[in-house]
Every structure is written in C-alpha cells, then in structure tokens.
C-alpha cells in the first residue's frame, strides 16, 4: 500500500532476463551505509547496514556480517517515494511489500535516492 501522505516518483522497471540478473548480482557495491528500517512484523525501527549491488539492495545487522538479514530485488520495484510524515525518508514500494527506510540526513537521503534510481535504470 502506498501511504496517502507520500509523494511518488514513479519509475517504469524493465524486466531483466535471468542471465542479466545473474551478471548484476555479482556487480560491485554501488552504495553502502546505515539506514533505519521499519520492521515488517514488530513495526519497530532498527539501524541496519545496507548494500546496493546491481539491482539488489541487501541489509545486514552490521557491516561485518557476511549473511544478509534480507534483500529487496529492484527488478520488481515499482516506486521510490519520500514520505511527508518522516524526515529523510525513503519508501521502497514493491508489489510484495513497502520498505520504510530513514537516512541520517538530507544529503544521505539524496545520495541513496540517486543510487536507487540509477540501479533501476540499469
């Protein structure tokens, strides 16, 4: 669901072949850093280390962890949004779920938004 208070920047997402997805999965990290993420079940905010690589955004408990806690496939991403309810917000709206993220400041938010948009246009 898309929050009513959100402003959308709709993006069309081209479908990749499985060969392209495999090649992109091994791509170097485009962006990484801490963001706060709202949990799907408990709905609390946790600080997580995010790594954007190709068209996959993975999140970890810390930068030292090798196993991710989860990932968002940007091949199915429909929209990147900023919520008017939260400062420095980034909402990733996919068909399966909306991921609510918050950056440390405006500059960090802009940097993440630009990196995510670039990943979508790959």
């Amino acid at each position: 669901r898309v929050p009513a208070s959100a402003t959308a920047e709709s993006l069309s997402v081209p479908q990749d072949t499985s060969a392209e997805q495999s090649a992109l999965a091994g791509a170097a990290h485009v962006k990484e850093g801490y963001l706060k993420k709202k949990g799907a079940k408990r709905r609390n905010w946790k600080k997580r280390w995010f790594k954007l690589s190709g068209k996959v955004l993975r999140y970890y408990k810390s930068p030292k962890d090798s196993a991710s806690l989860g990932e968002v496939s940007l091949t199915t991403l429909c929209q990147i949004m900023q919520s008017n309810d939260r400062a420095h917000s980034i909402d990733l709206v996919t068909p399966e779920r909306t991921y609510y993220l918050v950056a440390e400041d405006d500059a960090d938010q802009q940097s993440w938004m630009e990196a995510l948009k670039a990943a979508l246009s790959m």
Side-chain angles (χ1 to χ4, degrees):
R1 290 182 0 223
V2 177
S5 63
T7 57
E9 295 181 32
S10 298
L11 301 171
S12 61
V13 181
Q15 293 298 320
D16 292 330
T17 65
S18 59
E20 289 171 326
Q21 289 175 353
S22 298
L24 289 171
H29 297 308
V30 174
K31 173 114 178 102
E32 55 184 65
Y34 280 108
L35 294 169
K36 289 182 182 175
K37 184 180 92 52
K38 190 173 189 178
K41 294 181 183 172
R42 290 193 170 239
R43 310 301 289 169
N44 56 341
W45 292 92
K46 297 236 177 171
K47 191 174 183 178
R48 297 290 185 226
W49 183 258
F50 282 81
K51 289 183 183 179
L52 177 60
S53 182
K55 289 189 173 243
V56 179
L57 179 65
R58 290 182 177 87
Y59 53 94
Y60 305 78
K61 193 168 185 176
S62 78
K64 297 176 186 175
D65 294 344
S66 58
S68 70
L69 297 173
E71 66 181 44
V72 181
S73 175
L74 299 180
T75 58
T76 60
L77 185 67
C78 293
Q79 296 178 336
I80 300 173
M81 307 175 80
Q82 290 179 252
S83 173
N84 295 329
D85 294 340
R86 295 176 311 278
H88 322 303
S89 70
I90 303 167
D91 296 349
L92 303 179
V93 183
T94 72
E96 298 84 27
R97 173 181 167 192
T98 299
Y99 294 84
Y100 300 100
L101 310 173
V102 175
E104 189 70 31
D105 54 34
D106 285 338
D108 197 31
Q109 177 197 29
Q110 276 307 116
S111 177
W112 275 106
M113 296 280 284
E114 289 170 12
L116 290 165
K117 287 178 190 176
L120 283 171
S121 64
M122 292 174 87

